[in-house]
Amino acid sequence: MSQTSLYPLQFEPIYQYRLWGGRRLANLLTAPLPGDGPIGEAWVLSDRADHPSRVGNGSLQGRTIGQVLEQFPEQVMGKFAGRFSRFPLLLKFLDVREMLSVQVHPTDPETAKTEAWVVLEAGTKSRIYAGLKTGTTESDLRQALTNGTVADRLACFHPNAGDAVFNPAGMVHSLGSGVVVFEVQQNSDVTFRLFDWNHVDPTTGKPRPLQVEQALDCIDFGPCPGGLVLPLVEETAPVICERLFHCDYFWLWRLRGELPFMVGAAGVPSVLVCIDGEGEIEDGGGINEARKGDVFLLPAVLGQCTFRPRGPVNVLEIEIPE
């Protein structure tokens, strides 16, 4: 296959049962939800051995992202070819009907997971917990775990659709009570639970296990480095371009408008996430329909592409930092 044969790659969602989940991802993604139980996560780009994403469109349909990267490393990854053993980001949609556990992700380089959320839906009772309250010590947190008052030690706010929240590794966090978010994170799936709101998993009839000591070992008790992020407007035409996250592991912009605009970049891969509206991605070699909930990996070889909206659209664009 020649370089010019590559195209915007769309992947089949991988649905994940979560006791705190709901059924609202059915309103966001076209692939039907399995069964009738709570689905908390849809992994929409995952290069993990246990849950590999498979291409859902075009001539590469059915192949895993790992197989695509192995066959076309330079064409897909561009200047990043050979730097990563797998695609370095894991992308998800989350439907958090109840409360996610109070948790923290490790900071160890092998398993570290810095992540970020873009809020898509929130209700009147929705909450996001992002970091410890100023001055909270390890002793304070241990005492709160003992007497069941952990939430009192966490910084909390009511989210609104459009909010951007940064969760660096080592920061305690939780969210729920009717929140739907898009999540971008390092390609790790390690989580340490501090407190689980007394949930009982109906599939086992038991509470889920906690990892208190592991969590305490990696919590950053200093000034909170994350939380609600103020968008930075970089352009206003042809669309409003806001930079939401610009960290060592991922860059993410939000693009909103009705006029055609450019996406992607020469020599590097990009990921597009259509969170509202619809349109077309024109890559020079073809046209790909983009609807609400669709996620596309733009191989580096494509360079810049044109997104042509059909009415107002809200698109996230993600890049790997240089």
Side-chain angles (χ1 to χ4, degrees):
M1 179 176 289
S2 66
Q3 291 187 5
T4 55
S5 296
L6 286 177
Y7 54 92
L9 301 172
Q10 191 173 5
F11 297 92
E12 300 170 355
I14 304 168
Y15 291 120
Q16 305 278 4
Y17 164 85
R18 297 290 185 265
L19 62 84
W20 41 260
R23 302 289 294 179
R24 285 185 295 177
L25 295 181
N27 301 325
L28 182 64
L29 301 170
T30 56
L33 270 59
D36 56 6
I39 301 298
E41 301 183 2
W43 293 21
V44 289
L45 182 48
S46 166
D47 189 7
R48 299 193 58 77
D50 52 348
H51 296 294
S53 288
R54 293 187 179 275
V55 178
N57 67 330
S59 59
L60 296 175
Q61 185 171 4
R63 299 196 194 183
T64 68
I65 183 173
Q67 291 170 334
V68 173
L69 293 180
E70 183 178 4
Q71 186 171 2
F72 310 108
E74 292 82 11
Q75 297 95 320
V76 175
M77 296 301 291
K79 66 177 64 176
F80 298 119
R83 184 182 302 186
F84 305 103
S85 60
R86 57 185 180 176
F87 195 77
L89 302 178
L90 176 58
L91 310 181
K92 307 176 182 178
F93 288 110
L94 274 60
D95 173 12
V96 195
R97 182 174 58 88
E98 298 184 18
M99 287 301 303
L100 191 76
S101 63
V102 177
Q103 59 186 239
V104 63
H105 303 306
T107 56
D108 177 85
E110 295 298 318
T111 57
K113 183 165 74 169
T114 287
E115 65 185 19
W117 300 323
V118 178
V119 178
L120 306 182
E121 299 178 25
T124 57
K125 296 182 179 180
S126 299
R127 294 290 182 269
I128 287 181
Y129 295 89
L132 299 170
K133 288 183 177 178
T134 302
T136 298
T137 65
E138 181 176 341
S139 177
D140 294 332
L141 192 54
R142 285 185 180 276
Q143 182 61 38
L145 288 167
T146 299
N147 57 30
T149 59
V150 174
D152 295 340
R153 289 292 180 179
L154 305 179
C156 178
F157 65 92
H158 170 72
N160 296 296
D163 282 350
V165 183
F166 184 57
N167 294 322
M171 190 184 84
V172 182
H173 59 276
S174 181
L175 81 166
S177 296
V179 186
V180 177
V181 302
F182 171 76
E183 179 176 271
V184 54
Q185 61 177 77
Q186 289 178 265
N187 193 350
S188 170
D189 195 34
V190 180
T191 296
F192 299 136
R193 299 190 194 102
L194 272 173
F195 177 67
D196 202 22
W197 309 98
N198 302 316
H199 288 320
V200 173
D201 189 338
T203 64
T204 64
K206 299 177 181 179
R208 295 188 298 174
L210 303 178
Q211 300 85 31
V212 173
E213 293 305 320
Q214 295 98 316
L216 290 170
D217 283 345
C218 64
I219 289 175
D220 182 356
F221 286 93
C224 181
L228 195 61
V229 171
L230 182 65
L232 175 64
V233 177
E234 294 188 340
E235 297 178 11
T236 57
V239 292
I240 297 173
C241 175
E242 300 170 296
R243 190 177 78 190
L244 301 187
F245 308 113
H246 199 263
C247 69
D248 292 341
Y249 311 106
F250 48 79
W251 296 341
L252 186 149
W253 295 264
R254 177 167 55 202
L255 307 166
R256 295 181 292 166
E258 300 183 51
L259 298 176
F261 55 93
M262 304 306 293
V263 293
V268 295
S270 298
V271 178
L272 298 184
V273 183
C274 188
I275 59 175
D276 201 14
E278 61 182 29
E280 298 175 344
I281 302 172
E282 184 179 322
D283 62 23
I287 294 176
N288 296 266
E289 293 288 327
R291 298 161 295 181
K292 180 179 179 180
D294 284 349
V295 177
F296 292 89
L297 172 60
L298 304 183
V301 70
L302 296 182
Q304 282 198 313
C305 303
T306 302
F307 193 103
R308 300 187 184 279
R310 288 197 290 267
V313 297
N314 189 339
V315 176
L316 305 179
E317 182 169 6
I318 305 162
E319 290 187 10
I320 302 165
E322 298 185 33

